[in-house]
PDB file of all heavy atoms in Angstrom:
ATOM      1  N   LEU A 353     -15.907   5.126   6.670  1.00 95.00           N
ATOM      2  CA  LEU A 353     -15.569   6.540   6.853  1.00 95.00           C
ATOM      3  C   LEU A 353     -14.467   6.703   7.900  1.00 95.00           C
ATOM      4  O   LEU A 353     -13.528   7.489   7.716  1.00 95.00           O
ATOM      5  CB  LEU A 353     -16.806   7.339   7.255  1.00 95.00           C
ATOM      6  CG  LEU A 353     -16.554   8.818   7.561  1.00 95.00           C
ATOM      7  CD1 LEU A 353     -15.938   9.532   6.359  1.00 95.00           C
ATOM      8  CD2 LEU A 353     -17.861   9.508   7.978  1.00 95.00           C
ATOM      9  N   ASP A 354     -14.559   5.954   9.003  1.00 97.00           N
ATOM     10  CA  ASP A 354     -13.564   6.078  10.063  1.00 97.00           C
ATOM     11  C   ASP A 354     -12.169   5.731   9.552  1.00 97.00           C
ATOM     12  O   ASP A 354     -11.162   6.306   9.997  1.00 97.00           O
ATOM     13  CB  ASP A 354     -13.912   5.142  11.225  1.00 97.00           C
ATOM     14  CG  ASP A 354     -15.150   5.589  11.984  1.00 97.00           C
ATOM     15  OD1 ASP A 354     -15.874   6.450  11.472  1.00 97.00           O
ATOM     16  OD2 ASP A 354     -15.398   5.064  13.080  1.00 97.00           O
ATOM     17  N   LEU A 356     -11.136   5.768   6.288  1.00 97.00           N
ATOM     18  CA  LEU A 356     -10.866   6.225   4.924  1.00 97.00           C
ATOM     19  C   LEU A 356      -9.496   6.895   4.784  1.00 97.00           C
ATOM     20  O   LEU A 356      -8.847   6.796   3.740  1.00 97.00           O
ATOM     21  CB  LEU A 356     -11.977   7.176   4.467  1.00 97.00           C
ATOM     22  CG  LEU A 356     -12.048   7.485   2.973  1.00 97.00           C
ATOM     23  CD1 LEU A 356     -12.122   6.222   2.128  1.00 97.00           C
ATOM     24  CD2 LEU A 356     -13.244   8.385   2.670  1.00 97.00           C
ATOM     25  N   LEU A 357      -9.037   7.566   5.834  1.00 98.00           N
ATOM     26  CA  LEU A 357      -7.734   8.216   5.765  1.00 98.00           C
ATOM     27  C   LEU A 357      -6.609   7.197   5.563  1.00 98.00           C
ATOM     28  O   LEU A 357      -5.590   7.514   4.951  1.00 98.00           O
ATOM     29  CB  LEU A 357      -7.472   9.031   7.035  1.00 98.00           C
ATOM     30  CG  LEU A 357      -6.183   9.851   7.059  1.00 98.00           C
ATOM     31  CD1 LEU A 357      -6.215  10.960   6.005  1.00 98.00           C
ATOM     32  CD2 LEU A 357      -5.932  10.439   8.438  1.00 98.00           C
ATOM     33  N   CYS A 360      -6.935   6.255   1.842  1.00 96.00           N
ATOM     34  CA  CYS A 360      -6.692   7.389   0.949  1.00 96.00           C
ATOM     35  C   CYS A 360      -5.953   8.453   1.746  1.00 96.00           C
ATOM     36  O   CYS A 360      -6.563   9.405   2.262  1.00 96.00           O
ATOM     37  CB  CYS A 360      -8.020   7.933   0.415  1.00 96.00           C
ATOM     38  SG  CYS A 360      -9.017   6.680  -0.407  1.00 96.00           S
ATOM     39  N   PRO A 361      -4.630   8.332   1.892  1.00 97.00           N
ATOM     40  CA  PRO A 361      -3.901   9.098   2.905  1.00 97.00           C
ATOM     41  C   PRO A 361      -3.468  10.495   2.500  1.00 97.00           C
ATOM     42  O   PRO A 361      -2.970  11.235   3.354  1.00 97.00           O
ATOM     43  CB  PRO A 361      -2.676   8.217   3.161  1.00 97.00           C
ATOM     44  CG  PRO A 361      -2.441   7.510   1.854  1.00 97.00           C
ATOM     45  CD  PRO A 361      -3.802   7.285   1.276  1.00 97.00           C
ATOM     46  N   TYR A 366      -8.120  11.922  -3.081  1.00 92.00           N
ATOM     47  CA  TYR A 366      -9.554  12.141  -3.203  1.00 92.00           C
ATOM     48  C   TYR A 366      -9.959  12.613  -4.592  1.00 92.00           C
ATOM     49  O   TYR A 366     -11.153  12.627  -4.921  1.00 92.00           O
ATOM     50  CB  TYR A 366     -10.016  13.100  -2.094  1.00 92.00           C
ATOM     51  CG  TYR A 366      -9.727  12.475  -0.760  1.00 92.00           C
ATOM     52  CD1 TYR A 366      -8.503  12.698  -0.123  1.00 92.00           C
ATOM     53  CD2 TYR A 366     -10.609  11.584  -0.182  1.00 92.00           C
ATOM     54  CE1 TYR A 366      -8.189  12.066   1.059  1.00 92.00           C
ATOM     55  CE2 TYR A 366     -10.301  10.948   1.004  1.00 92.00           C
ATOM     56  CZ  TYR A 366      -9.083  11.173   1.620  1.00 92.00           C
ATOM     57  OH  TYR A 366      -8.768  10.525   2.779  1.00 92.00           O
ATOM     58  N   ASP A 453     -12.641  15.117   0.387  1.00 91.00           N
ATOM     59  CA  ASP A 453     -11.598  16.017   0.871  1.00 91.00           C
ATOM     60  C   ASP A 453     -10.865  15.373   2.033  1.00 91.00           C
ATOM     61  O   ASP A 453     -11.428  14.588   2.816  1.00 91.00           O
ATOM     62  CB  ASP A 453     -12.175  17.367   1.266  1.00 91.00           C
ATOM     63  CG  ASP A 453     -13.017  17.278   2.522  1.00 91.00           C
ATOM     64  OD1 ASP A 453     -14.165  16.793   2.428  1.00 91.00           O
ATOM     65  OD2 ASP A 453     -12.535  17.656   3.596  1.00 91.00           O
ATOM     66  N   TRP A 454      -9.614  15.709   2.146  1.00 94.00           N
ATOM     67  CA  TRP A 454      -8.673  15.153   3.104  1.00 94.00           C
ATOM     68  C   TRP A 454      -9.064  15.472   4.546  1.00 94.00           C
ATOM     69  O   TRP A 454      -9.012  14.609   5.430  1.00 94.00           O
ATOM     70  CB  TRP A 454      -7.314  15.757   2.773  1.00 94.00           C
ATOM     71  CG  TRP A 454      -6.104  15.026   3.237  1.00 94.00           C
ATOM     72  CD1 TRP A 454      -6.013  13.785   3.779  1.00 94.00           C
ATOM     73  CD2 TRP A 454      -4.769  15.537   3.167  1.00 94.00           C
ATOM     74  NE1 TRP A 454      -4.699  13.473   4.042  1.00 94.00           N
ATOM     75  CE2 TRP A 454      -3.929  14.532   3.678  1.00 94.00           C
ATOM     76  CE3 TRP A 454      -4.213  16.729   2.736  1.00 94.00           C
ATOM     77  CZ2 TRP A 454      -2.542  14.693   3.770  1.00 94.00           C
ATOM     78  CZ3 TRP A 454      -2.833  16.890   2.805  1.00 94.00           C
ATOM     79  CH2 TRP A 454      -2.009  15.877   3.313  1.00 94.00           C
ATOM     80  N   LEU A 455      -9.466  16.720   4.807  1.00 95.00           N
ATOM     81  CA  LEU A 455      -9.716  17.162   6.179  1.00 95.00           C
ATOM     82  C   LEU A 455     -10.883  16.397   6.814  1.00 95.00           C
ATOM     83  O   LEU A 455     -10.831  16.039   7.992  1.00 95.00           O
ATOM     84  CB  LEU A 455      -9.988  18.662   6.216  1.00 95.00           C
ATOM     85  CG  LEU A 455     -10.206  19.279   7.608  1.00 95.00           C
ATOM     86  CD1 LEU A 455      -8.998  19.040   8.504  1.00 95.00           C
ATOM     87  CD2 LEU A 455     -10.514  20.765   7.477  1.00 95.00           C
ATOM     88  N   THR A 456     -11.920  16.129   6.039  1.00 95.00           N
ATOM     89  CA  THR A 456     -13.070  15.408   6.569  1.00 95.00           C
ATOM     90  C   THR A 456     -12.673  14.023   7.063  1.00 95.00           C
ATOM     91  O   THR A 456     -13.095  13.576   8.138  1.00 95.00           O
ATOM     92  CB  THR A 456     -14.176  15.282   5.505  1.00 95.00           C
ATOM     93  OG1 THR A 456     -14.629  16.591   5.141  1.00 95.00           O
ATOM     94  CG2 THR A 456     -15.354  14.472   6.013  1.00 95.00           C
ATOM     95  N   THR A 457     -11.849  13.336   6.302  1.00 96.00           N
ATOM     96  CA  THR A 457     -11.454  11.985   6.708  1.00 96.00           C
ATOM     97  C   THR A 457     -10.460  12.014   7.861  1.00 96.00           C
ATOM     98  O   THR A 457     -10.457  11.114   8.704  1.00 96.00           O
ATOM     99  CB  THR A 457     -10.857  11.218   5.517  1.00 96.00           C
ATOM    100  OG1 THR A 457      -9.748  11.936   4.968  1.00 96.00           O
ATOM    101  CG2 THR A 457     -11.892  11.032   4.434  1.00 96.00           C
ATOM    102  N   LEU A 458      -9.621  13.040   7.915  1.00 97.00           N
ATOM    103  CA  LEU A 458      -8.715  13.178   9.044  1.00 97.00           C
ATOM    104  C   LEU A 458      -9.524  13.357  10.341  1.00 97.00           C
ATOM    105  O   LEU A 458      -9.247  12.710  11.361  1.00 97.00           O
ATOM    106  CB  LEU A 458      -7.791  14.363   8.797  1.00 97.00           C
ATOM    107  CG  LEU A 458      -6.500  14.452   9.613  1.00 97.00           C
ATOM    108  CD1 LEU A 458      -5.497  15.372   8.913  1.00 97.00           C
ATOM    109  CD2 LEU A 458      -6.745  14.976  11.026  1.00 97.00           C
ATOM    110  N   ARG A 459     -10.541  14.199  10.292  1.00 97.00           N
ATOM    111  CA  ARG A 459     -11.374  14.432  11.472  1.00 97.00           C
ATOM    112  C   ARG A 459     -12.185  13.190  11.837  1.00 97.00           C
ATOM    113  O   ARG A 459     -12.438  12.923  13.013  1.00 97.00           O
ATOM    114  CB  ARG A 459     -12.294  15.627  11.213  1.00 97.00           C
ATOM    115  CG  ARG A 459     -11.564  16.959  11.236  1.00 97.00           C
ATOM    116  CD  ARG A 459     -12.466  18.105  10.851  1.00 97.00           C
ATOM    117  NE  ARG A 459     -11.810  19.403  11.069  1.00 97.00           N
ATOM    118  CZ  ARG A 459     -12.263  20.557  10.590  1.00 97.00           C
ATOM    119  NH1 ARG A 459     -13.384  20.571   9.867  1.00 97.00           N
ATOM    120  NH2 ARG A 459     -11.613  21.680  10.820  1.00 97.00           N
ATOM    121  N   ALA A 460     -12.605  12.424  10.824  1.00 97.00           N
ATOM    122  CA  ALA A 460     -13.366  11.201  11.099  1.00 97.00           C
ATOM    123  C   ALA A 460     -12.517  10.193  11.854  1.00 97.00           C
ATOM    124  O   ALA A 460     -12.991   9.539  12.795  1.00 97.00           O
ATOM    125  CB  ALA A 460     -13.863  10.607   9.791  1.00 97.00           C
ATOM    126  N   LEU A 461     -11.246  10.047  11.464  1.00 98.00           N
ATOM    127  CA  LEU A 461     -10.365   9.133  12.170  1.00 98.00           C
ATOM    128  C   LEU A 461     -10.074   9.641  13.577  1.00 98.00           C
ATOM    129  O   LEU A 461     -10.037   8.862  14.534  1.00 98.00           O
ATOM    130  CB  LEU A 461      -9.073   8.938  11.385  1.00 98.00           C
ATOM    131  CG  LEU A 461      -8.061   7.934  11.974  1.00 98.00           C
ATOM    132  CD1 LEU A 461      -8.682   6.546  12.084  1.00 98.00           C
ATOM    133  CD2 LEU A 461      -6.789   7.878  11.113  1.00 98.00           C
ATOM    134  N   GLU A 462      -9.885  10.935  13.715  1.00 97.00           N
ATOM    135  CA  GLU A 462      -9.642  11.525  15.037  1.00 97.00           C
ATOM    136  C   GLU A 462     -10.792  11.233  16.004  1.00 97.00           C
ATOM    137  O   GLU A 462     -10.575  10.967  17.184  1.00 97.00           O
ATOM    138  CB  GLU A 462      -9.484  13.047  14.910  1.00 97.00           C
ATOM    139  CG  GLU A 462      -8.143  13.506  14.403  1.00 97.00           C
ATOM    140  CD  GLU A 462      -8.080  15.026  14.284  1.00 97.00           C
ATOM    141  OE1 GLU A 462      -9.110  15.655  13.967  1.00 97.00           O
ATOM    142  OE2 GLU A 462      -6.992  15.579  14.525  1.00 97.00           O
ATOM    143  N   ALA A 463     -12.014  11.268  15.495  1.00 97.00           N
ATOM    144  CA  ALA A 463     -13.196  11.161  16.353  1.00 97.00           C
ATOM    145  C   ALA A 463     -13.649   9.716  16.552  1.00 97.00           C
ATOM    146  O   ALA A 463     -14.606   9.468  17.300  1.00 97.00           O
ATOM    147  CB  ALA A 463     -14.345  11.973  15.752  1.00 97.00           C
ATOM    148  N   SER A 464     -12.992   8.766  15.918  1.00 98.00           N
ATOM    149  CA  SER A 464     -13.485   7.393  15.891  1.00 98.00           C
ATOM    150  C   SER A 464     -13.124   6.618  17.151  1.00 98.00           C
ATOM    151  O   SER A 464     -11.958   6.325  17.409  1.00 98.00           O
ATOM    152  CB  SER A 464     -12.923   6.660  14.665  1.00 98.00           C
ATOM    153  OG  SER A 464     -13.249   5.291  14.714  1.00 98.00           O
ATOM    154  N   TYR A 479       0.290   8.764  14.082  1.00 98.00           N
ATOM    155  CA  TYR A 479      -0.232   8.836  12.707  1.00 98.00           C
ATOM    156  C   TYR A 479      -1.006  10.131  12.460  1.00 98.00           C
ATOM    157  O   TYR A 479      -0.813  10.811  11.447  1.00 98.00           O
ATOM    158  CB  TYR A 479      -1.114   7.620  12.439  1.00 98.00           C
ATOM    159  CG  TYR A 479      -1.598   7.533  11.011  1.00 98.00           C
ATOM    160  CD1 TYR A 479      -0.712   7.271   9.968  1.00 98.00           C
ATOM    161  CD2 TYR A 479      -2.947   7.705  10.689  1.00 98.00           C
ATOM    162  CE1 TYR A 479      -1.152   7.193   8.655  1.00 98.00           C
ATOM    163  CE2 TYR A 479      -3.402   7.626   9.385  1.00 98.00           C
ATOM    164  CZ  TYR A 479      -2.488   7.363   8.374  1.00 98.00           C
ATOM    165  OH  TYR A 479      -2.924   7.282   7.068  1.00 98.00           O
ATOM    166  N   LEU A 480      -1.882  10.482  13.383  1.00 98.00           N
ATOM    167  CA  LEU A 480      -2.676  11.694  13.207  1.00 98.00           C
ATOM    168  C   LEU A 480      -1.817  12.949  13.293  1.00 98.00           C
ATOM    169  O   LEU A 480      -2.070  13.931  12.580  1.00 98.00           O
ATOM    170  CB  LEU A 480      -3.795  11.745  14.249  1.00 98.00           C
ATOM    171  CG  LEU A 480      -4.923  10.740  14.021  1.00 98.00           C
ATOM    172  CD1 LEU A 480      -5.847  10.693  15.227  1.00 98.00           C
ATOM    173  CD2 LEU A 480      -5.718  11.099  12.761  1.00 98.00           C
ATOM    174  N   ALA A 481      -0.788  12.931  14.128  1.00 97.00           N
ATOM    175  CA  ALA A 481       0.116  14.081  14.192  1.00 97.00           C
ATOM    176  C   ALA A 481       0.803  14.301  12.849  1.00 97.00           C
ATOM    177  O   ALA A 481       0.934  15.442  12.376  1.00 97.00           O
ATOM    178  CB  ALA A 481       1.152  13.869  15.299  1.00 97.00           C
ATOM    179  N   VAL A 482       1.231  13.223  12.228  1.00 97.00           N
ATOM    180  CA  VAL A 482       1.878  13.324  10.915  1.00 97.00           C
ATOM    181  C   VAL A 482       0.903  13.862   9.882  1.00 97.00           C
ATOM    182  O   VAL A 482       1.231  14.769   9.097  1.00 97.00           O
ATOM    183  CB  VAL A 482       2.429  11.942  10.484  1.00 97.00           C
ATOM    184  CG1 VAL A 482       2.862  11.967   9.017  1.00 97.00           C
ATOM    185  CG2 VAL A 482       3.597  11.527  11.376  1.00 97.00           C
ATOM    186  N   LYS A 483      -0.308  13.325   9.877  1.00 98.00           N
ATOM    187  CA  LYS A 483      -1.282  13.743   8.863  1.00 98.00           C
ATOM    188  C   LYS A 483      -1.743  15.188   9.069  1.00 98.00           C
ATOM    189  O   LYS A 483      -1.979  15.921   8.099  1.00 98.00           O
ATOM    190  CB  LYS A 483      -2.466  12.784   8.853  1.00 98.00           C
ATOM    191  CG  LYS A 483      -2.121  11.436   8.238  1.00 98.00           C
ATOM    192  CD  LYS A 483      -1.684  11.624   6.802  1.00 98.00           C
ATOM    193  CE  LYS A 483      -0.919  10.469   6.241  1.00 98.00           C
ATOM    194  NZ  LYS A 483      -0.370  10.731   4.898  1.00 98.00           N
ATOM    195  N   ARG A 484      -1.866  15.608  10.322  1.00 97.00           N
ATOM    196  CA  ARG A 484      -2.203  17.025  10.557  1.00 97.00           C
ATOM    197  C   ARG A 484      -1.100  17.937  10.036  1.00 97.00           C
ATOM    198  O   ARG A 484      -1.373  18.981   9.420  1.00 97.00           O
ATOM    199  CB  ARG A 484      -2.405  17.274  12.056  1.00 97.00           C
ATOM    200  CG  ARG A 484      -3.642  16.654  12.657  1.00 97.00           C
ATOM    201  CD  ARG A 484      -3.836  17.136  14.091  1.00 97.00           C
ATOM    202  NE  ARG A 484      -4.592  16.192  14.900  1.00 97.00           N
ATOM    203  CZ  ARG A 484      -4.074  15.340  15.781  1.00 97.00           C
ATOM    204  NH1 ARG A 484      -2.749  15.332  15.993  1.00 97.00           N
ATOM    205  NH2 ARG A 484      -4.833  14.527  16.467  1.00 97.00           N
ATOM    206  N   ALA A 485       0.143  17.577  10.286  1.00 97.00           N
ATOM    207  CA  ALA A 485       1.270  18.394   9.818  1.00 97.00           C
ATOM    208  C   ALA A 485       1.301  18.454   8.297  1.00 97.00           C
ATOM    209  O   ALA A 485       1.530  19.522   7.705  1.00 97.00           O
ATOM    210  CB  ALA A 485       2.585  17.817  10.345  1.00 97.00           C
ATOM    211  N   GLU A 486       1.047  17.330   7.649  1.00 97.00           N
ATOM    212  CA  GLU A 486       1.023  17.317   6.181  1.00 97.00           C
ATOM    213  C   GLU A 486      -0.119  18.169   5.645  1.00 97.00           C
ATOM    214  O   GLU A 486       0.049  18.894   4.647  1.00 97.00           O
ATOM    215  CB  GLU A 486       0.892  15.885   5.678  1.00 97.00           C
ATOM    216  CG  GLU A 486       2.136  15.035   5.874  1.00 97.00           C
ATOM    217  CD  GLU A 486       1.949  13.617   5.413  1.00 97.00           C
ATOM    218  OE1 GLU A 486       0.815  13.220   5.061  1.00 97.00           O
ATOM    219  OE2 GLU A 486       2.942  12.876   5.401  1.00 97.00           O
ATOM    220  N   TYR A 487      -1.275  18.068   6.274  1.00 96.00           N
ATOM    221  CA  TYR A 487      -2.418  18.862   5.833  1.00 96.00           C
ATOM    222  C   TYR A 487      -2.113  20.352   5.905  1.00 96.00           C
ATOM    223  O   TYR A 487      -2.359  21.109   4.953  1.00 96.00           O
ATOM    224  CB  TYR A 487      -3.659  18.531   6.655  1.00 96.00           C
ATOM    225  CG  TYR A 487      -4.852  19.388   6.317  1.00 96.00           C
ATOM    226  CD1 TYR A 487      -5.622  19.107   5.198  1.00 96.00           C
ATOM    227  CD2 TYR A 487      -5.174  20.510   7.076  1.00 96.00           C
ATOM    228  CE1 TYR A 487      -6.704  19.908   4.856  1.00 96.00           C
ATOM    229  CE2 TYR A 487      -6.246  21.314   6.748  1.00 96.00           C
ATOM    230  CZ  TYR A 487      -7.011  21.013   5.636  1.00 96.00           C
ATOM    231  OH  TYR A 487      -8.071  21.815   5.291  1.00 96.00           O
ATOM    232  N   ARG A 488      -1.555  20.779   7.040  1.00 96.00           N
ATOM    233  CA  ARG A 488      -1.236  22.212   7.187  1.00 96.00           C
ATOM    234  C   ARG A 488      -0.203  22.650   6.156  1.00 96.00           C
ATOM    235  O   ARG A 488      -0.323  23.736   5.560  1.00 96.00           O
ATOM    236  CB  ARG A 488      -0.717  22.471   8.602  1.00 96.00           C
ATOM    237  CG  ARG A 488      -1.772  22.385   9.691  1.00 96.00           C
ATOM    238  CD  ARG A 488      -1.259  22.939  11.015  1.00 96.00           C
ATOM    239  NE  ARG A 488      -0.152  22.149  11.537  1.00 96.00           N
ATOM    240  CZ  ARG A 488      -0.305  21.132  12.378  1.00 96.00           C
ATOM    241  NH1 ARG A 488      -1.513  20.781  12.786  1.00 96.00           N
ATOM    242  NH2 ARG A 488       0.752  20.470  12.833  1.00 96.00           N
TER     243      ARG A 488
END
Side-chain angles (χ1 to χ4, degrees):
L353 176 58
D354 290 14
L356 194 54
L357 184 65
C360 304
Y366 299 90
D453 70 284
W454 202 9
L455 183 58
T456 298
T457 56
L458 199 160
R459 287 175 172 167
L461 183 60
E462 282 179 326
S464 172
Y479 185 68
L480 288 170
V482 169
K483 287 299 161 187
R484 290 188 206 102
E486 289 178 353
Y487 176 80
R488 289 192 296 268

